[in-house]
Amino acid sequence: ASILEKEHCPFLCVDSYYEAMTLRNKGVRSPILVIGYTEPANLKRPPLSNVSFAIIGMAHLRNIEQILLSPTAFHLKLDSGMHRQGILPEELREAIAIIKKSKNIKIQGVFSHFANADGEDETFTKKQIETWNKAIRVIRGEVPGIRYAHLAATAGSFFSKKIDANVIRLGLGLY
């Protein structure tokens, strides 16, 4: 991680609260995004410095909104077609209403995942990009201050010119 800190990445992605704590305990100072599920109770603990968290669905958003005691940075996960986690397109307006009402939910970014960006048939990936591009326009129009929009990981970087985003999450591409 110390090598990556010198590269001035916008943030490092980890899967869990535990991994973010481990990096902080090892002296890593770069911004961190916990991209996996974070138990809402962990968000009531003393905050980890410069760490943002994923909101992975409507139930998660509602729980966070009810228990959050102080302003906290989040990246909102959209389900653009992978159907593993995220706010569904038809839930987007409701999610935006909750976010706008909350004093403590600070949306720093929006993200999603490709289901099969490295597959031979690009049809589904192109459909995901279309869903993403529509949703990100709505969110940017309603929620001010979003700094990061990221859909693609390494395999999806081939499609970057078609995606309304400003960050790519590199995983295998780092190796």
Side-chain angles (χ1 to χ4, degrees), residues 17-77:
Y17 184 88
Y18 173 79
E19 290 171 349
M21 281 190 343
T22 300
L23 288 180
R24 285 295 180 255
N25 289 339
K26 297 284 185 185
V28 174
R29 293 191 175 117
S30 293
I32 295 173
L33 168 60
V34 177
I35 207 165
Y37 174 78
T38 299
E39 182 66 43
N42 282 335
L43 299 172
K44 290 172 68 173
R45 294 179 179 204
L48 294 172
S49 175
N50 208 7
V51 174
S52 52
F53 299 91
I55 296 173
I56 62 155
M58 284 302 296
H60 196 221
L61 173 59
R62 287 185 194 104
N63 288 339
I64 289 168
E65 192 266 333
Q66 290 176 1
I67 64 96
L68 208 55
L69 302 174
S70 60
T72 304
F74 292 96
H75 288 224
L76 183 67
K77 184 171 186 180

Side-chain angles (χ1 to χ4, degrees), residues 100-156:
K100 288 171 84 170
K101 184 181 83 171
S102 173
K103 293 180 207 151
N104 292 325
I105 296 174
K106 305 300 178 192
I107 300 297
Q108 182 182 60
V110 181
F111 74 105
S112 191
H113 290 293
F114 280 129
N116 188 25
D118 55 353
E120 288 184 28
D121 185 357
E122 297 176 356
T123 306
F124 192 75
T125 299
K126 289 178 179 176
K127 177 73 174 140
Q128 280 192 268
I129 292 169
E130 183 181 319
T131 300
W132 165 266
N133 286 344
K134 285 179 186 174
I136 197 68
R137 279 192 296 273
V138 169
I139 294 170
R140 282 189 177 132
E142 295 284 333
V143 181
I146 293 174
R147 294 178 61 191
Y148 306 112
H150 45 110
L151 169 60
T154 304

